Amino acid sequence: MLVKAAVLEAFGAPLVVQEVELSEPRAGEVLVRLVACGVCHTDLYTASGADPSGYAPTVLGHEGAGVVERVGDGVSSLAVGDHVVTLFSPECRECIHCRSDRTNLCLAIREQQNQGYLPDGTTRLSRDGDPMRHFMGTSTFAEYTVMPEIALAKITPDASLEGACLFACGLSTGLGAAMNTAQVTAGSTCAVFGAGMVGLGAVIGCRLQGAERIVCVDLSEERLALATAHGATETIVGGKGAVETILEQTGGFGADYTFEATGNVEVMRQAVESARMGWGLCTVAGVAGKGETLDIVPRYLITGRRVAGSSFGGVKGRDGVPRLIDRWLAGDIDVESFISHRLTLDDVNRGFELMEAQDGIRSVIGFR
C-alpha cells in the first residue's frame, strides 16, 4: 500500500513529505493506522545528524498512537480494532532482561531494531522498490506503520489517542525516571533540571511518589509556571548559580533525588553536584550529543552520591504504559496541558521549528 510519510533524506535538511510503499505485516507483526504522533526531541536529534547511530533515508517518528488494522501470523495479544501506543522500547516478556525487575531494556529484537530493521532483518518500507529502514522500530511520521507485536502496548479505548501518544516516549520517560529508576520516596526532596516533556513528567512522578519538596530548574519562566501547576513546590531560573541555590535551600546538603532532562552535559553535571551528600541519587534521562562526555569530580561520588541512567524511564512498555494511562484517566496526570500545537503531517518541519524555539511543550500531528 502507498502511505504518506515524512522522510529524512539527509541530515540537517528538512523532512520531505511524500508517498512511500508499506508492505503487509509478516509473522509476529502488526499493521497500525496512526491517529496521533508527538514531535519529540529525539526525532530532531536524529534529523540534525547529532545522533551517532542515525541513518538516512528513513521515516522518522516514534511517539505514536493508533488502531490495529491487520495482524500477521502468530499474533495473539492484539486484534483488529485494538487501540495501541507504539514502543521504541519493546517488551518480549521472555528474555533475561524482561524477566528481571532491574531493567526494561528488552534484548529480543534490539540488534535488528538499532540497525533499522524489523525482527527478521528486513523492512516493510520501500520507495521505488528500494528498501527503506525503519526509525527506532516505529516510523510513526506516517499514516500507517508495521511494527512487531512486542513493540505495541494495548490500551483502553477510553483514552484519547491524541493524549495517549505522549506516553510513547517523553511523558513515560519522565514519569518512570522518578517512579521506576529513582523510586523516589515519600517525604523526600527532589530537584528536576529541565521543564520540557521529560522534566515535567519527572515532576509529576515525584509528586505521585509523595515527595515533600520538588524544585524545578529551567531557563523559561513560562515552563516553570507549568511545572508549578504539575506539582513543583519551588522553581529556579537556570544558570550557573542553580547548584548553589539548591544547596542553600537544602541546608548545604543537596536534594535526595535529582533529575536531568535537558541532554546538556553541563546541566547533567549540575544535577550531580546538586544531589545530597551521603545518599543523593542523580538520574540522567536526557540524551547528549555525539561525542559529548559527562565530567564528574570523583569527590562527589566518593562522598556518597550516585548516578543512574534511565531509558524510557525504566518502563516495561506493554505492561507499564497501560498502567500510566490509567493514572491519567484517574485524574492524576493532566495530559491535555502538554499539547501546545496541533499539526498535520505536512507541518512536521514546523513542529521542529517550534521545538527549537521552545514554543510550548509538545506539538502533536493528527492523521485523518
Side-chain angles (χ1 to χ4, degrees):
M1 62 189 297
L2 291 177
V3 301
K4 189 175 180 181
V7 178
L8 172 64
E9 298 283 7
F11 298 123
L15 305 190
V16 181
V17 178
Q18 59 190 268
E19 284 193 332
V20 299
E21 299 151 8
L22 182 68
S23 58
E24 291 292 317
R26 298 182 186 176
E29 299 172 358
V30 177
L31 174 69
V32 177
R33 173 176 60 84
L34 276 303
V35 173
C37 182
V39 181
C40 177
H41 187 269
T42 305
D43 300 302
L44 176 61
Y45 174 70
T46 298
S48 70
D51 182 357
S53 62
Y55 44 80
T58 187
V59 175
L60 290 185
H62 65 287
E63 204 173 69
V67 180
V68 173
E69 290 281 304
R70 284 193 285 282
V71 299
D73 292 341
V75 172
S76 59
S77 66
L78 294 170
V80 173
D82 284 345
H83 287 205
V84 292
V85 167
T86 62
L87 301 171
F88 71 89
S89 182
E91 181 190 358
C92 72
R93 297 174 175 154
E94 297 175 358
C95 73
I96 188 171
H97 278 191
C98 282
R99 289 185 282 110
S100 170
D101 60 4
R102 292 177 292 181
T103 183
N104 64 324
L105 299 179
C106 176
L107 299 172
I109 60 174
R110 191 173 183 82
E111 183 176 348
Q112 298 93 328
Q113 184 176 339
N114 286 346
Q115 296 177 36
Y117 300 111
L118 291 182
D120 67 355
T122 65
T123 78
R124 304 295 161 266
L125 289 167
S126 61
R127 185 174 52 184
D128 299 325
D130 295 324
M132 182 183 297
R133 287 191 279 177
H134 300 252
F135 175 65
M136 296 179 71
T138 54
S139 288
T140 53
F141 283 170
E143 296 171 313
Y144 293 83
T145 188
V146 170
M147 293 182 58
E149 174 186 15
I150 64 172
L152 292 166
K154 180 180 176 180
I155 65 170
T156 173
D158 295 336
S160 156
L161 290 171
E162 182 184 63
C165 74
L166 304 187
F167 290 87
C169 182
L171 187 50
S172 292
T173 297
L175 288 164
M179 300 170 75
N180 299 326
T181 306
Q183 298 182 16
V184 168
T185 55
S188 59
T189 296
C190 302
V192 178
F193 288 78
M197 183 78 271
V198 175
L200 291 170
V203 167
I204 296 170
C206 292
R207 170 174 59 80
L208 294 178
Q209 291 291 103
E212 181 177 344
R213 296 177 65 188
I214 306 170
V215 182
C216 189
V217 184
D218 198 275
L219 296 172
S220 166
E221 295 277 10
E222 183 179 355
R223 289 189 171 193
L224 289 175
L226 188 56
T228 299
H230 283 282
T233 59
E234 301 150 64
T235 59
I236 297 172
V237 176
K240 292 184 178 179
V243 175
E244 288 72 18
T245 301
I246 291 172
L247 292 177
E248 289 172 6
Q249 295 178 352
T250 55
F253 289 108
D256 300 308
Y257 302 93
T258 65
F259 299 88
E260 188 285 323
T262 70
N264 183 311
V265 293
E266 292 302 319
V267 176
M268 292 178 189
R269 179 171 178 167
Q270 287 185 318
V272 173
E273 295 179 355
S274 299
R276 194 193 194 286
M277 180 183 70
W279 61 69
L281 173 63
C282 171
T283 299
V284 176
V287 179
K290 183 190 302 182
E292 292 186 308
T293 59
L294 172 57
D295 183 14
I296 301 175
V297 176
R299 173 173 58 86
Y300 285 98
L301 304 180
I302 293 169
T303 49
R305 297 166 187 83
R306 296 167 294 141
V307 181
S310 185
S311 175
F312 195 45
V315 176
K316 293 181 183 286
R318 294 167 76 192
D319 296 326
V321 166
R323 288 197 292 266
L324 292 176
I325 286 179
D326 287 344
R327 298 294 297 266
W328 163 35
L329 297 181
D332 294 334
I333 306 168
D334 177 13
V335 172
E336 178 65 27
S337 65
F338 299 133
I339 302 175
S340 312
H341 304 276
R342 291 172 168 85
L343 309 175
T344 66
L345 185 60
D346 290 326
D347 298 323
V348 62
N349 292 304
R350 173 63 176 156
F352 286 161
E353 292 168 2
L354 291 166
M355 186 183 304
E356 289 184 305
Q358 291 198 351
D359 185 338
I361 300 301
R362 201 50 119 228
S363 296
V364 173
I365 295 170
F367 298 89
R368 292 185 176 84

